[in-house]
Amino acid sequence: QSVLTQPPSVSGAPGQTVSISCTGGGSNIGAGYEVHWYQQLPGRAPKLLIYVDNNRASGVSDRFSGSRSPTSASLAITGLQAEDEAEYYCQSFDRSLGGLVYGGGTWVTVL
Amino acid sequence: QVQLVQSGAEVKKPGASVNVSCKSSGYTFSIYRITWIRQAPGQGLEYMGWITPYDGSSHYAQKFQDRFTMTTDTSTATVYMQLRSLTSDDTAVYYCARDRVSWHSYEKDHWGQGTLVTVSS
């Protein structure tokens, strides 16, 4: 059971926009800790996409964007492409646990 | 360029210990925290702990606190992890990852290639 909650899967046709939610609680996102997003292709290490809620990591396409509200965050992928098919994870810090916490991951399918 | 290179795959029997190394290059090793994260087959990411090479300060996830140790060797820019009393539940890919910002940041911008640890009798 992951501390942060993500939908198991989302899908969209090429060119469409998909959004992935990440919901936390009062000791992590709700406490103001930043949210970060990673993309993981099958068999590969995770890759940082978005850091501190809405900042794109170096070399990341501007089709990826992040946003947050008091207890949740979202990753949006616009102009969906076949290469975006991957697992996406959100990450934050939890002050009760004293360490990093992750969402369970969301698989994005490009139809 | 920044690189984190991990040691190779391991097969261990239940009850044994495993050591995994993570060798860094391309940046000032001592001032960037290294975090260990694991991923069981078909599962999500799980935080294990982090260590700052400069002074060896560390944090361990409570789940692993009594059987997990991280150490650093600044002369070779290498971080080591040891996980003891292995069970089949420890079968996973183990990653080391570097903070994006020196001294402290929660996001990880460089990752090792991963080390598969298989625990089987």
Side-chain angles (χ1 to χ4, degrees), chain A residues 20-71:
Chain A
I20 302 169
S21 61
C22 173
T23 303
S27 58
N28 41 71
I29 300 176
Y33 291 102
E34 61 242 20
V35 178
H36 317 285
W37 292 91
Y38 299 86
Q39 177 194 61
Q40 186 177 33
L41 299 171
R44 304 292 299 273
K47 169 190 171 184
L48 181 65
L49 282 181
I50 300 290
Y51 65 93
V52 189
D53 302 333
N54 55 16
N55 297 275
R56 273 185 297 277
S58 177
V60 172
S61 168
D62 59 5
R63 297 186 298 104
F64 294 90
S65 63
S67 63
R68 72 168 288 157
S69 62
T71 58

Side-chain angles (χ1 to χ4, degrees), chain B residues 4-112:
Chain B
L4 278 65
V5 179
Q6 299 182 223
S7 50
E10 302 266 10
V11 179
K12 296 293 182 181
K13 294 193 181 303
S17 299
V18 67
N19 298 286
V20 179
S21 65
C22 172
K23 183 172 176 57
S24 301
S25 62
Y27 69 97
T28 303
F29 173 70
S30 62
I31 63 173
Y32 284 82
R33 200 166 54 176
I34 294 290
T35 299
W36 289 95
I37 298 142
R38 76 177 186 179
Q39 186 172 36
Q43 302 300 309
L45 303 172
E46 182 174 29
Y47 166 75
M48 299 183 71
W50 60 48
I51 188 166
T52 302
Y54 179 80
D55 58 2
S57 58
S58 60
H59 176 269
Y60 293 87
Q62 188 171 9
K63 174 178 180 178
F64 303 103
Q65 214 156 23
D66 57 349
R67 63 187 187 101
F68 177 54
T69 302
M70 297 175 288
T71 57
T72 67
D73 182 345
T74 54
S75 68
T76 60
T78 302
V79 175
Y80 299 91
M81 62 146 276
Q82 181 186 71
L83 189 63
R84 301 176 291 279
S85 303
L86 294 169
T87 71
S88 58
D89 289 342
D90 294 315
T91 293
V93 175
Y94 290 75
Y95 293 103
C96 61
R98 194 202 77 164
D99 282 4
R100 186 183 66 84
V101 177
S102 60
W103 297 114
H104 175 78
S105 68
Y106 294 128
E107 68 275 20
K108 316 303 170 187
D109 67 342
H110 288 89
W111 294 64

Side-chain angles (χ1 to χ4, degrees), chain A residues 11-14 16 80 85 109-111:
Chain A
S11 61
Q16 287 189 332
L80 202 60
E85 195 160 276
T109 300
V110 181
L111 301 170

